[in-house]
């Protein structure tokens, strides 16, 4: 599968396949040989698991001269320290502007390597090789970031990759928790897209084990939704805000109970349920639909029981601080109907009411 991304500043392809990394690299081997250096920056855990397969695919394409600089696994790599350490490595290796960086790992690796690429010598090329389900979201759209001690994703840049090569065979080693986390963002894209796909996707998840879901087909649809929104609004002035569906409540939940207690996507699935409930309270969608989706999410093992461990006042405080507040309330992405999102400011009173209702429904 191939999806083309066409932006004013750049355009590139996203390739998806199962167990075909070498094949996907074929189209790039000539252009990659033109770089003075290729530096592969893998998540160290991913490197342990998949180094052999990666090297084989590169070798099959005559790409043998590259450096490898592994970074810590997962979220801990999105730090100023790692950012600086890799920059130092690149400088010591005499890398110049004509360098290609390859991010090989999940969303965290893609975010930090993208930001390193955006800032090294004022910007060099990079390629995304995502290895998680969640990274179908993070590898597309060019948002790159690292964390600051005062908050997540606070330092970053918009910097588009030159290609996204997405091989779903890496999912073989993902844990159930990682599948659950990634599925939430795919589910989000379905809500923003259309009712038919949403239904189809939910059936597919209920009928298959996580590993046997036809990921290439489903992720292609998810990426298409994201790409079409990003193409219309790359800098998040209007429509790109819709991609925050589920993310107002989820950010407060993640912060409120601690990042180590719940994964991003697990929180997003719960945040989507909360946004659906507000949409129902506003009279946009039936309450029955919300109840069905709570049952669905519950059956997949998302930790709904954690919602009540944060009191409403804490959620409210966290949401106010999360850049989405105005004088009259907090901005939420709601659904008029499936596939028709709107951004609305919701006042505290309604949020309190919805929170109590939510607690009752998920008990
Ligand atoms: P991650 O990159 O932290 O990976 C999760 C864990 O899975 C890590 O421990 C990693 O080592 C491991 N892992 C990765 N691939 C594996 C594989 N194939 N087999 C076994 N283990 C594997 O998490 P993620 O969920 O992929 O991404 C989350 C990050 O993405 C967050 O930092 C979030 O802020 C970011 N994000 C960015 C955007 C964006 O637009 N830039 C969008 C959404 C999320
Ligand atoms: Zn997200």
């Amino acid at each position: 599968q191939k999806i083309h991304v066409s932006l004013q500043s750049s355009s590139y392809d996203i390739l998806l396949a199962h167990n075909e990394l070498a094949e996907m690299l074929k189209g790039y081997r000539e252009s990659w040989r033109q770089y003075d250096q290729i530096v592969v920056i893998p998540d160290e855990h991913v490197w342990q698991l998949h180094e052999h397969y990666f090297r084989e695919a590169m070798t099959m394409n005559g790409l043998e001269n590259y450096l490898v600089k592994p970074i810590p696994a997962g979220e801990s790599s999105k730090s100023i320290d790692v950012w600086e350490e890799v920059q130092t490595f690149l400088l010591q290796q005499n890398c110049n502007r004509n360098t290609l960086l390859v991010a090989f790992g999940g969303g965290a690796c893609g975010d930090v390597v993208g930001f390193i690429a955006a800032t090294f010598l004022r910007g060099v090329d990079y390629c995304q090789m995502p290895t998680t389900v969640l990274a179908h979201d993070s590898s597309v759209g060019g948002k790159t970031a690292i964390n600051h001690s005062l908050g997540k994703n606070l330092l970053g840049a918009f910097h588009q990759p030159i290609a996204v090569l997405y091989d779903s065979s890496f999912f073989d080693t993902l844990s159930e928790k990682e599948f659950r986390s990634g599925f939430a963002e795919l589910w989000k894209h379905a809500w923003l897209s259309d009712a038919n796909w949403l239904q189809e996707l939910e059936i597919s998840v209920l009928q298959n084990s996580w590993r046997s879901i036809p990921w290439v087909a489903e992720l292609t649809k998810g990426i298409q939704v994201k790409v079409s929104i990003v193409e219309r609004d790359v800098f998040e002035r209007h429509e790109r805000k819709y991609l925050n569906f589920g993310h107002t409540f989820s950010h407060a939940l993640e912060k409120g109970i601690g990042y180590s207690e719940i994964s991003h996507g697990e929180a997003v699935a719960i945040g989507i349920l909360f946004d659906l409930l507000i949409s129902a309270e506003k009279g946009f969608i039936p309450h029955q639909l919300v109840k069905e989706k709570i049952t669905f999410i519950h059956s997949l093992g998302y930790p709904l029981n954690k919602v009540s461990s944060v009191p409403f006042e804490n959620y409210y405080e966290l949401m106010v601080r999360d850049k989405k507040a105005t004088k009259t309330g907090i901005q939420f992405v709601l659904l008029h109907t499936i596939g028709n999102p709107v951004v609305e400011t919701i006042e505290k009173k309604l949020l309190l009411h919805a929170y109590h209702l939510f607690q009752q429904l998920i008990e």
Side-chain angles (χ1 to χ4, degrees), residues 91-328:
L91 292 168
Q92 285 170 343
Q93 298 293 333
N94 297 315
C95 291
N96 59 22
R97 286 288 300 275
N98 190 33
T99 295
L100 174 71
L101 307 185
V102 179
F104 180 39
C109 176
D111 275 12
V112 61
V113 174
F115 188 52
I116 291 164
T119 45
F120 182 67
L121 304 178
R122 297 200 186 86
V124 296
D125 287 350
Y126 76 111
C127 166
Q128 293 271 17
M129 278 192 199
T131 60
T132 62
V133 176
L134 188 132
H136 85 279
D137 184 14
S138 59
S139 65
V140 173
K143 275 194 189 178
T144 72
I146 57 174
N147 303 326
H148 186 277
S149 57
L150 293 179
K152 233 172 99 76
N153 293 333
L154 292 181
L155 311 175
F158 286 97
H159 189 53
Q160 302 293 333
I162 56 135
V164 181
L165 308 182
Y166 203 174
D167 186 333
S168 62
S169 67
F170 293 123
F171 299 173
D172 288 350
T173 50
L174 287 179
S175 65
E176 199 178 321
K177 194 179 166 82
E178 297 304 337
F179 276 114
R180 224 182 267 131
S181 184
F183 173 73
E185 300 281 8
L186 189 59
W187 197 49
K188 175 190 83 177
H189 289 131
W191 279 107
L192 298 176
S193 165
D194 75 90
N196 288 336
W197 175 37
L198 181 70
Q199 192 185 16
E200 211 183 279
L201 177 67
E202 290 179 359
I203 291 171
S204 179
V205 170
L206 292 173
Q207 290 181 343
N208 290 290
S209 69
W210 285 115
R211 263 177 201 81
S212 60
I213 290 167
W215 286 111
V216 171
E218 299 298 353
L219 291 172
T220 300
K221 289 181 213 161
I223 290 172
Q224 271 159 347
V225 173
K226 177 148 188 187
V227 166
S228 72
I229 291 177
V230 170
E231 279 181 341
R232 278 173 279 161
D233 175 26
V234 71
F235 295 116
E236 199 171 328
R237 293 194 183 105
H238 323 278
E239 275 167 83
R240 193 164 179 171
K241 287 195 178 142
Y242 297 155
L243 296 170
N244 291 327
F245 182 52
H247 282 64
T248 309
F249 188 77
S250 76
H251 282 163
L253 176 60
E254 280 179 288
K255 265 193 206 152
I257 65 173
Y259 290 106
S260 55
E261 293 295 310
I262 192 164
S263 71
H264 176 68
E266 285 177 329
V268 168
I270 295 169
I272 289 174
L273 295 175
F274 191 73
D275 288 359
L276 290 176
L277 184 57
I278 301 178
S279 304
E281 285 295 307
K282 285 258 175 185
F284 300 156
I285 59 169
H287 274 95
Q288 184 54 29
L289 182 69
V290 185
K291 284 190 189 149
E292 282 167 26
K293 299 309 165 185
I294 289 174
T295 307
F296 170 70
I297 284 301
H298 187 68
S299 74
L300 294 177
Y302 286 85
L304 286 165
N305 58 338
K306 293 191 175 164
V307 170
S308 296
S309 46
V310 181
F312 175 76
E313 279 305 324
N314 292 23
Y315 277 114
Y316 190 76
E317 193 44 41
L318 288 162
M319 289 192 280
V320 167
R321 272 195 275 148
D322 192 32
K323 345 171 246 224
K324 293 187 189 90
T326 65
K327 271 193 190 134
T328 51

